[in-house]
Amino acid sequence: MKALLFLLALLALIGLIRASLSRRSKPPGTATPVNSGRQRTEQPQRMVQCAHCGVHLPEREAVTGRLGLYCSTEHRQAHEGA
Ligand SMILES: [Zn+2]
C-alpha cells in the first residue's frame, strides 16, 4: 500500500515537472510583455536587395550607394565604378 502511494506521488511530481518544463520551452516572443512595447517603435528586420548581385540582406547591414543599396562596399564600387 505504501509503495502504491509512493508511486502516485512520484507520478504527480513528474506531471508537475513536465508542466513547468513545457511552460518554459514555449518560444520566446509570443508571451513577453516586456518587449511588446518596444516592438511597436522598432520595425521588424527589413530586407533589402543588393543592386549589384541581387542578394537579400537586412537593411541595417546594407551599404548605401548613390545608385542604391549593396551587400558590400566591393559591390557598390563594382556597380557604381567609384
Ligand atoms: Zn552584392
Side-chain angles (χ1 to χ4, degrees), residues 43-66:
Q43 288 291 315
Q45 192 98 272
R46 233 188 84 186
M47 299 299 280
V48 293
Q49 199 171 11
C50 174
H52 187 68
C53 67
V55 77
H56 285 85
L57 68 155
E59 193 177 28
R60 61 186 173 88
E61 287 176 30
V63 178
T64 308
R66 282 180 291 115

